[in-house]
Structure formats: C-alpha cells, structure tokens
Amino acid sequence: MKAFTRRAALALGAALAIGLGLFPVDARAVGTPAASATPRAGIAAVAAPDRPSAEVARDVLRRGGNAVDAAIATAFALAVTYPEAGNLGGGGFLTLHIDGKQAFLDFRETAPAAATRDMYLDAAGKAVPDASLVGARAAGVPGTVAGLWAAHQRYGTVPWKALLAPAIRLAREGFVVDAQLAERIREQTAELAGRTNFAAHFGGVAAGQRWRQPELARTLERIAAQGSDGFYRGRTADLIVAEMRRGGGLVSAADLVGYQAAWREPLRFTWRGQEVVTAPPPSSGGIALAQLLGMREALAPAFTGLAHNSAGYVHLLAEMMKRVFADRAEYLGDPDFVSVPTTKLTDPAYIARRAAEVRALPSTLTTVRPGLEDSPQTTHFSIIDGAGGAVALTYTLNGGFGNGVVVTGAGFLLNNEMDDFSTRPGQPNLYGVVGGRANEIAPGKRMLSSMTPTLLLRDGRVVVSLGTPGGSTIFTGVFQTLLNMADFGMDPQAAVAASRMHHQLLPPDRIVYSQCCALAPETLAGLQALGYKVERSGWEFGDMMVIAVDAAGRLQTGADPRGRGVGLVFEAMPSGRRSGAR
Ligand code: DON
C-alpha cells in the first residue's frame, strides 16, 4: 500500500506519542468502562471501511432499522464500493447482539463437492504456485448472500428490498472512486495481467471519477427481488457456473443450491468482568483471542510497568502468539468435519499452563518461508443501533480482489478462499501460516479462518464492537487493540492507529510491525538484542474498526487510518422489532 495518507501521518504521530509514554499505563478507560456506564438510548454509531458504506448504515439506523438491518445494507453497499473485499462472491462471519441476546452467523465459503484433498498439488506432490489463489479453481462456494439473507430472516425489521436499494443505486448511478481504491486496482491489474478477466472489468476505473457497474446493479436487483435465490438459482447462478466452465473452476449449480449459512453458538469467555462474544470455529480467531487475553492476565506480573510497544512488551506478546499459532496449526478446522477441542484450548487452567511456558528468550524452531509481500484484503464494520443492538461483521474474498475473476455478465468478483485450507501439510498459505489434517480440503468443508468479529458486554450491554481484516494478523490485532484501550487508556481512534506487531511462530523469531508506523528505535534494538528478526511488514495488515462506550456512556469510534474508513456517531430512532416487515 503505497498511498501514505494524512491520516496515516496522524497514526504515526499517535504511535510516537505512545512510544514516548504519553499514554499512561493501566489507566481504566474505554474497554473497561465504569460499571455505571450506560450507552444513551437513541445514539447510534458505525465504524465502516469507507464513507459510502458508513453513510448507508447511518441512513438505515436513522430511519429506525436495527443493527442487523444496517449491517445487511452496509455489506451490500461494500460489495459495490469496496471491491477489494466487500463482496457477493465471498463469505464471512457476523457476531450480533439484538434484544439482549447474542448470536453468531457463519457464512464462510465451502469447498465445492468436486474438491479433493490434493487438488492444488502436482504429480510430485508439490504445491502448484498460485493454483489456490488465482483463477476460477481457487474459488469456494460463496456464502455472503445466504448469510445476509439468513440474518434478515431472523432479525430484519426493514424490508429486504429497501436494504438492497442503496447498493443498487451506488452500482447504477456510480460513486466517485477514492485514490486508495484506484491504486489498489492498478496494482492488481498489473499482478493479474493476462491471467484472469480482471483488467476487462476494472480497466476504466480512475481516481476521482464516477464508476458505474450496471451488471452488478442487475445482479443486486435479482437478489432484491428474489432473496438468496436471486444469487444461488436462476440467472446469477447460471453466470457463475458458466464462468467456472470457462476457467476450469469446480463450483457447480448443485453446490450453489446446496449452500447453507450456519447459526452457531458464539465463543464466550470472561475478560476483566466483561463477557467477550466472538467467533467460534471454523474461525481460529475466537479461540486465539481467548488464549491471548487469558495469557495476558496470567502473566500480569510480567507486564507490570512495561510501556506500550516497548521491547519487553512486544517480546511477551510474541511469546504468547507463538503458542497460539502452534495450537492453531494442529487442532483447528471446520467443526462439522473435525472434532475441535475448543473447551480444552480455552480452559483457563490450560491457558495458565501455556502462559507459564512463556520464556525470557525466543525459542528456536524449524523454519518455513517468509510471509507474503502482497496486499491482501478483507473488510470489517461495526454498528451499534439506538437501542443498544450491535453487530460486528467481517467478510472477505480472501486475497485483495479474491481470485481476480469477475463473473461475466454479473459484475462481481469471486473469492480465493480455498487457499485458507491447508493445501498440503506444512505448506504455508497466503499469510504464511501452516496447517495439518484438521484443515485439509474435503468436499463441503469450510476452510479455517482467522476472522474475529467481536463484541464485549458488560452487565448485558455491548460496550465494544470491533474487528479487522489482516489474515493471520486479525486476532493478534484485535487483541492488541483491546489492550491499547484497556491497559494504555487510548481512545478507540488512538487504539486503532497505533503500530501493531505480529508473530506467528513461523518463520521462527520473526516479528513484523505495521507498515505505516514503525516501532520505536529502542524497541527494535531491544528485540534484536533478544534474538528476534524485526521487520517492517511487506503489506499493511489491518483496517481495524471499533465502536466503544466510554466511561460516561458515550459512543466513540475508531476507524483505522491505514484504510479509508469512517466512524460516525449520530442520533437514531431507537429501533424495535417490527413484525411483518419482510
Ligand atoms: O478468513 C481468513 O482468515 C482470511 N481469508 C482473511 C483474509 C484477510 O483478512 C485479508 N486481509 N487482509
């Protein structure tokens, strides 16, 4: 990401302020609001990855829609304005709190029925470069439209068609293309030249110009008229299957008709008196977050007095992250296919034992190749409505612009989520993480994810909603953002802007930090002295979106300056469930 925005410069300023110790350690602020803090009724907020989508959410909430209504409209809008990751052809997760109850919706892609364990290996058993990343064969069966439809069936109060209307308008009338989007399209066009039909679809897009997508508008109109059938059956499905035939992809008409989103019990645990409600398998994110926050508590004495992003602090975080990634590679996969030991992995006694292993010096482990030097994308938004209902939604095509294939005649990109499977034991995926049997490819199976849309509740009310893209850096980023607010007194904007670090066990002893904002020189020197290789990340990880209730009950937003996101706080009608609105 070459564009260095004014807001990125502000982020750097914030990071420096933090490095200089201007944020007090252990202040009780956002993230640990006073027990008396009660969000004011009638005030709503959104933190979304671009302005058009944030405004769509605001308009739905102002008219009395609830957080789920707003999320549906926003997700469809992002499929138009944020083609890097906003999507119809991908999948994701939704964590929600409505009418005092929490739920989790899994609309992750699945492997097509014709998929096989070794489908990305050559005759010698070696991974074929890019086979799981570029082209029709990299696509899993899309889940997004089924997910948004399922969410609406259960929680929607505004008519489905009305929620599609803003996206249709943005596609038909166009929107003015942001410089960051134009640059990302330019980079991707060069990357995919001659390999997919990407350039034909995106060729005319230019910064500052209006971009209209009539084919996408028609696809959205079919979805508006027919619900999820407008995607999984009929014309849209035919166009997807035709694209698969042209490109040697595996997604069939039967795969599309058979796709089902799944309501799952969210992963829940307690952290400093708050209930954390987050993503269960097939995401690794919730288990990882539970382990990281739990180890942080178990290691409280070691953290005492450590400044934010100091060498000692980063070292402890890195040692905890190593353990999380070791468990992730071994145990995690689709719970409908493998038995995931979630209870054991999140047992406080087990976490305390893992914390006790955190040693003073980095451990030496066998090496794998470095992580990618590319610009992957996913996207996340958070919404809190005027009645305290809340949504955290992360969805994705996996890599930026997915597999680079636009469904001809339908105007949307397909995912390359198949790469999130372990294509071969020990084979690093796009994010450099490895896996084993638990995450091997099987027909109908969901590939392991790191997406971590998360809500924090205190006394039954949502006080934080957050999440981010970033592949394997997602849950380490969510973890650091929560600590930034809770331990260092940062408001949500400072918390998302601060530099983040990441360590994922392999390559051994390698710590990366945010591309936008370096760690302090003394931190780098201190980590090097401990034996770490510390590197600026080759890609900008994370586009963190946070809404948090401060100690006075006010909503505050944090929209990551690494992206083009926007946070809005505004008056909204306290939403209630309206029956018969569908
Ligand atoms: O599900 C996952 O974990 C990945 N497919 C997410 C991809 C992602 O976050 C890319 N963003 N930078």
Side-chain angles (χ1 to χ4, degrees), residues 26 272 294-306 316 355:
D26 275 333
R272 300 188 186 175
M295 279 191 267
R296 161 67 186 82
E297 294 314 273
L299 290 167
F303 275 92
T304 307
L306 286 182
L316 284 179

Side-chain angles (χ1 to χ4, degrees), residues 85 93 108-109 282-284 328 375-379 394-400 416-417 420 429-431 447-451 468-474 539-543:
F93 300 130
R108 181 74 163 163
E109 300 92 325
S283 181
S284 57
R328 183 189 193 277
S375 174
Q377 283 298 327
T378 289
T379 192
T394 314
Y395 76 152
T396 186
L397 294 163
N398 190 29
N416 56 1
E417 218 75 61
D420 271 350
N429 73 6
L430 179 61
Y431 306 99
M447 53 297 281
L448 182 63
S449 175
S450 299
M451 293 186 286
T468 182
S472 54
T473 72
I474 290 176
W539 57 293
E540 187 54 281
F541 54 84
D543 188 24

Side-chain angles (χ1 to χ4, degrees), residues 21 71 247 255 275 303 437 444 576:
D255 287 327
E275 187 180 20
F303 275 92
R437 301 282 319 261

Side-chain angles (χ1 to χ4, degrees), residues 50 80-84 175-187 202 205 207 211 401 564:
D50 70 7
V80 179
T81 63
Y82 203 97
E84 307 101 296
F175 66 98
V176 177
V177 172
D178 175 271
Q180 184 186 62
L181 171 57
E183 173 61 11
R184 288 176 175 173
I185 288 174
R186 195 195 59 72
E187 285 173 11
F202 287 95
V205 182
W211 181 34
F401 305 95
R564 53 184 194 273

